Amino acid sequence: MPVQDTIRNVPAAGRQQTDAPAFIGRRHEISQVRRILAKTRLLTLTGAGGVGKTRLARRVSEILPHRYRDGVRLVELTAIEDEDLLVPAVAAALGIRDTTPDLVGLLAEHLADKHLLLVLDNCEHLLGACARLAQRLLRDTSRLQILATSRQSLGVYGERVLPVPSLSIPQPGDSTRDIARRDAVRLFAERAATIRPGFLVDAANARAVARLTRRLDGIPLAIELAAVRLRTTSVEGLVNELDQHLEVPAEVAPGTVARHQTLRATMDWTFGLCSPGERLLWERLAMFPGGVDLETAEAVCPGQGLARDDVLDLMGGLVDKSILSSAEQYGTAVRYRMLETIRAYGRERLPAADEKALRERYIAHYRRLAERLRVDRVAPGQIDNVRALKLELPNVRVALDLCFHLPGDAPAGLEIASALWANWLVAGAPSEGRYWLGRGLGLVPGSSVARTMGLWAKGLLGHYQGDPAAAADARECSELAWRLKDETALAFAVQLSGVAALCGGDAEGGLALLNDARTRHWARGDVHAVGVTLYLAALFAASMSPDRAAAYGEELVALCEDRHAPLFRAYALYAVGMARWEQGDWRQTEAKMREVTAFWSAADDRWGLPQCLEVLAWTAGARGRHERAARLQGAAHLLWEAVASSPLRLQYQARSHQECAERARHALGARAYTAAFRDGTRLGLARAVAYALEEP
C-alpha cells in the first residue's frame, strides 16, 4: 500500500501504538548503569545526539522497576521548551497535575519517603533548570534516585556521569560471523530487514556492511538513516555514496568531536537526498514538538514554495526516509513525530525568511484550534476535544510562547489561553492555565476585550482553586468591561462578579449577579455561556442556598441532555449531588456521585475525580461506615495533592469535609482513623476509583 494510503486509511479505532523497534546491544552499558545506580543517587548519561541515550534510559526504565518499591517514572522533556514548565511536567509524570507557588517543595514532600527512580530524558535544553530541580529533590528526599540523559552533565554535586558510546563496530580481521555479531551491524541488519524482508549479513555483503558501520562510527541514528537508502540501492552502492559524501566536511561548529561530525554529515547527506519540497516540509514540521497529523501539516506548512496539495506525498517521502515516524493512531488520524535530533536539525535549517510567515500560520492555526476544542460547550464531542487537546498541548505551548515573545502577538496568545480555561481545569492543571494567562495579561495592558476575557478566565480558575487573590481579577475584569461597554465582556464580567460574591459568602448578591449574567448571555444567544453560568450558580451556592442550587443544576442537566453534552452533564449532576447533600438527601447524593465518578474516570477528568471521592466519603460516613469514609478521604487526599488543591480551600466542600473527618475520627479512634486514611492514600487512582464504585 502506498504511504499516502497509509496516511489516509487507518482503522477507525482508538489510540494504537506502532511496533517499537527492537532494542539491540548495550549489555555492557546496562550493566554499568545498574552498578552505578546501586551506589549513587544521580546518574547522567551523556553523549552526542543520536548516540542512543534515550533508548538506553528507556530500556533501563523497563528492566529496573523491581528494584524500586515505588516504581520508575520517565519524564520526556523534548516537548518542554519553556523552563518554567519543567517542574509541572515532572509533577504530572508523578501524578501531580497542577502547580503551586512552591511546587518543588510539594514534589519533595511527595517523594520524601518514596523509593523511586525518576528518569529525566533530554535535559540539555533545560540544563540549568534540571540541575536546580535535581539538586533540590535529592537534598530533600532520602531514597529518590535520578537517571538523566543530556548532551552534557548537569553539574550537580554527587553526580556520576556515564558517557554513552556508539555501538560496537567490526574490527579489521573480523570473520563474517564476528562482523554479524557487532551491535552496529545487528542494528543495520534489523533496520535493513524492514526495508528488504529477509535481509541477512552474509559472506557476500559482510565486508560492505562492516565498512558502512565503521564509516558511520556506530552511531545508531546515522545507521538507521543510512539503512533507509536500501530501498533504492545496494549495500555496496550505499557504501560508495557514503564515501563520496563523507569526504566533504560537514557544516559543523569548530571544536565539534568526530562523532558529532559524522552524525551531522549523515544528517546533511540525508537532507541532500530529500527533494526540495521534502526539505521545506522537514524544516517546517520541526516546529511541532508534540508531533503532527496530516490535517495540521496541511494547514500550517504550505507557503513560500510549498503547495498544500503536495504535503501528503511529501510526508510520505519523509516517512520513507525515516525522518518522520508514524508513532500513534487516534481514531482515523495518524500522528507523526520526529526524533529530537532530527527535529533540532530541521529547526536549525529553517531559513529566517520562512520563519516569520510560518510562525504566523502556526499561531493562527492554534488560535483556531483552541476555539474549536473548547470544552465549555453544551454540545456533543466534548470528550473528543479533551483528548485531542491532550495530544496538541506541547504544540499549544509553543504557540503561546511564540505569542508572548513578540508584543504584537500577545493578544492572540491571551485569547488562546482564555479559550482553553475549561481544558486546563479538566486536565487538572488550572495553575498552568493561570500561568499562561498571567504572562499574557502582563503583555496586554490597557483596555481591551482580550484583556477583559483574560482576567475573566484567570479569575474563574482562581476561584475554582479557592485562591482569595482571584477577587482582584474579578474587580479589574468588571471595571474594564463597564469601561468598554462591550456586551459580551459585560456578560462574562457580571458572571465572574457573581462567583466572587458567592465565594465571599454573599449568596443573595452572588445569585442576583449570576441571574443577570444568564439574562445577558441569553440575549446574545450564547447557550454555552448560559450553561457555564447555571453550573457556577448550582455549585457555588450549594452550601448557602441548596434549594435554588438544585433547581439551577436540574435546569442544566435538562439542557445538557437536550443538546447531547455528556461532559457538561456530568458536571451538572455533580452540582445537583452537592445540593442534595446540603438538603440532607445523602442517598440521591451517593447515586449521582457514583454515576459521575464512573464517567469522570473514563474521561480522565483529574479535577472532578477528587471532588467525587470526597463526597462519597461523606455519604459513607452518613451510612455509619466510618472506616470506608476515612479510606475514601485518604484516596481523595492523594488526588487533591495531585492538583495542588484541597477541599479546605473550596467554599462548597470545606465544612462537610471537616465534619466527615471528625465523625470518623471520633467513631474509630485517632489511630484507626489514621491507618484507614493512609490505606486510602496507597490505593492509587485506578484502585481508588474501583473502591469508590463498590456497592456500599
Side-chain angles (χ1 to χ4, degrees):
M1 178 183 290
V3 172
Q4 52 264 42
D5 292 338
T6 304
I7 294 174
R8 291 289 192 192
N9 303 312
V10 295
R15 173 175 176 169
Q16 301 175 10
Q17 292 286 347
T18 57
D19 292 336
F23 184 84
I24 292 173
R26 300 298 192 192
R27 289 185 180 180
H28 177 64
E29 289 81 6
I30 290 172
S31 176
Q32 284 184 297
V33 170
R34 298 178 72 156
R35 178 175 53 79
I36 295 171
L37 283 176
K39 300 177 181 179
T40 190
R41 297 182 62 201
L42 172 60
L43 170 61
T44 302
L45 306 178
T46 61
V51 80
K53 303 182 296 297
T54 290
R55 285 182 183 168
L56 176 57
R58 288 178 182 272
R59 182 60 176 165
V60 167
S61 71
E62 291 169 359
I63 64 178
L64 289 188
H66 67 280
R67 276 196 180 186
Y68 298 92
R69 183 191 66 201
D70 298 295
V72 178
R73 298 290 183 274
L74 187 144
V75 189
E76 172 55 66
L77 300 179
T78 55
I80 304 298
E81 300 198 353
D82 185 332
E83 69 173 27
D84 288 337
L85 296 176
L86 167 66
V87 177
V90 174
L94 294 169
I96 299 173
R97 296 299 179 107
D98 204 0
T99 60
T100 66
D102 183 20
L103 182 54
V104 180
L106 178 63
L107 284 176
E109 181 182 346
H110 177 78
L111 294 168
D113 61 348
K114 299 284 195 301
H115 186 208
L116 179 143
L117 178 65
L118 179 64
V119 182
L120 302 177
D121 187 31
N122 287 297
C123 296
E124 53 272 352
H125 63 301
L126 302 168
L127 199 65
C130 287
R132 292 189 294 273
L133 176 62
Q135 191 167 28
R136 171 77 182 275
L137 291 180
L138 293 173
R139 185 192 72 194
D140 292 353
T141 62
S142 58
R143 304 194 68 192
L144 172 70
Q145 289 180 275
I146 297 175
L147 175 64
T149 73
S150 177
R151 296 188 187 184
Q152 64 185 98
S153 65
L154 301 188
V156 173
Y157 177 77
E159 175 187 27
R160 290 284 301 275
V161 176
L162 178 63
V164 177
S166 299
L167 295 174
S168 60
I169 57 178
Q171 300 301 308
D174 276 356
S175 66
T176 298
R177 186 175 183 181
D178 290 336
I179 290 171
R181 287 177 172 177
R182 299 292 184 180
D183 288 341
V185 173
R186 290 174 58 210
L187 176 64
F188 178 81
E190 193 269 341
R191 300 300 187 263
T194 67
I195 307 298
R196 290 186 178 181
F199 179 90
L200 293 171
V201 176
D202 55 25
N205 63 24
R207 298 299 168 191
V209 173
R211 186 176 175 186
L212 182 147
T213 55
R214 285 198 298 268
R215 203 77 171 90
L216 296 175
D217 287 328
I219 299 172
L221 179 56
I223 291 169
E224 294 185 27
L225 291 173
V228 173
R229 289 290 292 149
L230 291 181
R231 283 194 175 94
T232 57
T233 189
S234 65
V235 176
E236 292 76 11
L238 179 55
V239 173
N240 290 334
E241 284 186 30
L242 280 173
D243 283 344
Q244 293 173 17
H245 183 80
L246 295 185
E247 291 300 325
V248 180
E251 300 173 12
V252 294
T256 305
V257 299
R259 288 194 178 109
H260 290 242
Q261 291 181 352
T262 299
L263 180 60
R264 177 58 188 242
T266 307
M267 300 281 278
D268 290 340
W269 172 62
T270 303
F271 190 79
L273 292 173
C274 292
S275 69
E278 288 170 345
R279 295 174 199 169
L280 289 174
L281 190 59
W282 179 349
E283 293 164 355
R284 296 173 191 184
L285 290 178
M287 190 84 157
F288 298 86
V292 65
D293 57 24
L294 177 62
E295 180 183 357
T296 300
E298 289 179 333
V300 177
C301 295
Q304 298 118 306
L306 185 63
R308 185 183 188 279
D309 290 344
D310 293 337
V311 170
L312 173 61
D313 290 334
L314 294 173
M315 286 185 76
L318 293 178
V319 170
D320 285 342
K321 295 176 177 65
S322 292
I323 304 306
L324 284 179
S325 61
S326 51
E328 303 140 341
Q329 294 178 2
Y330 286 84
T332 59
V334 180
R335 196 163 191 87
Y336 294 86
R337 297 183 185 275
M338 288 181 178
L339 290 174
E340 178 58 19
T341 303
I342 293 174
R343 193 173 77 86
Y345 180 90
R347 287 297 302 272
E348 182 184 331
R349 299 288 309 215
L350 180 66
D354 290 354
E355 188 168 3
K356 182 177 184 295
L358 178 63
R359 184 182 69 243
E360 291 172 353
R361 293 193 298 271
Y362 193 97
I363 291 171
H365 174 76
Y366 283 103
R367 193 176 184 179
R368 292 190 298 270
L369 189 79
E371 190 63 35
R372 179 164 62 84
L373 296 183
R374 293 182 73 131
V375 298
D376 58 339
R377 293 290 183 257
V378 189
Q382 292 173 298
I383 299 300
D384 289 340
N385 288 353
V386 169
R387 290 170 179 161
L389 186 76
K390 186 175 181 180
L391 286 176
E392 290 287 358
L393 192 54
N395 300 334
V396 170
R397 289 177 178 135
V398 169
L400 289 167
D401 205 44
L402 289 171
C403 289
F404 297 149
H405 272 97
L406 289 176
D409 292 326
L414 190 53
E415 289 179 17
I416 292 171
S418 300
L420 296 178
W421 75 271
N423 300 71
W424 301 119
L425 196 67
V426 171
S431 286
E432 183 179 349
R434 292 173 74 190
Y435 162 78
W436 290 114
L437 288 161
R439 278 188 65 179
L441 289 166
L443 295 169
V444 184
S447 300
S448 66
V449 172
R451 181 172 179 81
T452 306
M453 296 306 297
L455 287 163
W456 167 79
K458 182 168 176 281
L460 196 54
L461 291 175
H463 282 302
Y464 269 114
Q465 291 185 294
D467 186 353
D473 292 324
R475 285 193 298 272
E476 186 182 351
C477 179
S478 180
E479 291 167 2
L480 278 181
W482 285 105
R483 190 182 309 155
L484 291 166
K485 295 183 172 58
D486 181 275
E487 288 301 322
T488 299
L490 272 171
F492 283 99
V494 171
Q495 181 197 77
L496 182 59
S497 296
V499 173
L502 284 167
C503 289
D506 181 1
E508 292 301 323
L511 288 175
L513 286 166
L514 287 174
N515 282 329
D516 182 12
R518 182 167 54 148
T519 300
R520 292 172 182 271
H521 289 313
W522 272 127
R524 295 171 40 254
D526 190 344
V527 67
H528 310 301
V530 169
V532 172
T533 306
L534 285 170
Y535 174 68
L536 295 171
L539 180 66
F540 287 99
S543 61
M544 294 176 282
S545 185
D547 293 344
R548 282 190 286 177
Y552 289 128
E554 295 290 3
E555 182 180 348
L556 180 56
V557 170
L559 182 64
C560 293
E561 290 176 347
D562 182 60
R563 297 179 66 87
H564 308 290
L567 182 63
F568 223 132
R569 178 180 177 273
Y571 274 88
L573 285 176
Y574 170 76
V576 172
M578 291 293 293
R580 297 296 182 223
W581 171 259
E582 296 294 344
Q583 290 173 325
D585 189 345
W586 57 264
R587 288 181 176 81
Q588 275 206 48
T589 301
E590 187 171 73
K592 293 186 187 306
M593 293 301 166
R594 286 167 60 80
E595 180 181 352
V596 175
T597 297
F599 181 88
W600 277 346
S601 175
D604 195 28
D605 188 323
R606 296 305 180 94
W607 176 253
L609 278 173
Q611 300 186 66
C612 275
L613 296 187
E614 177 66 38
V615 179
L616 287 171
W618 307 347
T619 62
R623 286 180 176 274
R625 299 190 60 183
H626 298 294
E627 183 176 345
R628 178 178 174 84
R631 193 170 285 115
L632 282 170
Q633 283 199 317
H637 172 77
L638 198 65
L639 299 182
W640 283 118
E641 187 180 65
V643 295
S645 190
S646 160
L648 294 174
R649 292 170 57 184
L650 303 182
Q651 165 260 342
Y652 53 86
Q653 285 216 343
R655 176 178 50 80
S656 293
H657 168 81
Q658 290 176 308
E659 290 175 353
C660 177
E662 288 170 4
R663 283 195 298 268
R665 192 177 287 107
H666 178 76
L668 300 173
R671 181 173 296 179
Y673 170 83
T674 300
F677 185 92
R678 285 179 177 169
D679 283 346
T681 64
R682 298 188 184 104
L683 287 174
L685 178 60
R687 290 171 59 203
V689 170
Y691 181 71
L693 294 177
E694 287 177 2
E695 288 297 328

